[in-house]
Amino acid sequence: MSDFDASFDTRFSLTPVDESGTTETGVLLMGLEAERLLAGLGLAALADDPAQVLIAVDRIRHGVRATLTFEALVEAGAQRWRETRPALAAAVGPASPPAALRKALKDTLRMFAHCDLGDPGPATSAHLAACWLRRNEIDRLAQCPAHGEMTAP
């Protein structure tokens, strides 16, 4: 084994240069807590750009004045999840074995073509994919009572 191989630490491997932006956004979304994922899903209908949704949710979460509260966005996302989940479950069937995160995201996004979801935009797709891959946690949170109401500034 060469010195390079012995010292190579895969925890710090860079992503392939040809990896899609959607996949990388999905990887970032997978690291968020469930409430932020649902809030992003709730906001996706308003601004269907994954990066903009991520920034907007963070701003609202930290109290930047907005027309919607963080809790209202979580509830909107939970409602959207409850409406969408049956179509996802019908298209996928039983859970697949664990896979590399990027592969799992790509497979999930491809699966959406076989679901009756209408035409979800990139933010909706990115958030739904992350929610699907963490569906047990998202299901538990989405079953909680309403988190808040939509409010004006």
Side-chain angles (χ1 to χ4, degrees):
M1 182 181 287
S2 72
D3 289 337
F4 176 75
D5 293 335
S7 64
F8 185 68
D9 187 346
T10 59
R11 292 177 298 170
F12 301 105
S13 296
L14 297 175
T15 58
V17 294
D18 60 346
E19 194 67 66
S20 77
T22 301
T23 300
E24 294 310 301
T25 299
V27 170
L28 291 172
L29 293 175
M30 289 292 295
L32 300 179
E33 63 267 10
E35 281 188 325
R36 287 176 66 191
L37 276 177
L38 285 176
L41 182 58
L43 186 60
L46 303 175
D48 210 46
D49 175 325
Q52 292 301 317
V53 170
L54 181 64
I55 291 167
V57 167
D58 246 9
R59 293 183 74 202
I60 291 168
R61 181 172 174 254
H62 292 290
V64 175
R65 192 171 178 97
T67 57
L68 296 175
T69 65
F70 181 75
E71 292 78 15
L73 289 175
V74 171
E75 182 54 33
Q79 179 62 34
R80 185 120 185 222
W81 176 250
R82 290 188 295 267
E83 293 167 357
T84 306
R85 196 190 190 299
L88 296 174
V92 176
S96 58
L101 182 58
R102 286 175 179 80
K103 181 181 180 331
L105 281 164
K106 287 178 187 178
D107 291 348
T108 300
L109 290 169
R110 270 195 299 273
M111 172 203 61
F112 289 170
H114 305 288
C115 297
D116 185 19
L117 300 178
D119 188 23
T124 299
S125 295
H127 282 83
L128 280 175
C131 287
W132 179 254
L133 292 171
R134 294 179 49 200
R135 60 190 166 272
N136 293 336
E137 180 183 6
I138 297 298
D139 285 345
R140 282 190 299 274
L141 182 60
Q143 297 308 315
C144 295
H147 290 87
E149 299 294 326
M150 292 187 181
T151 59

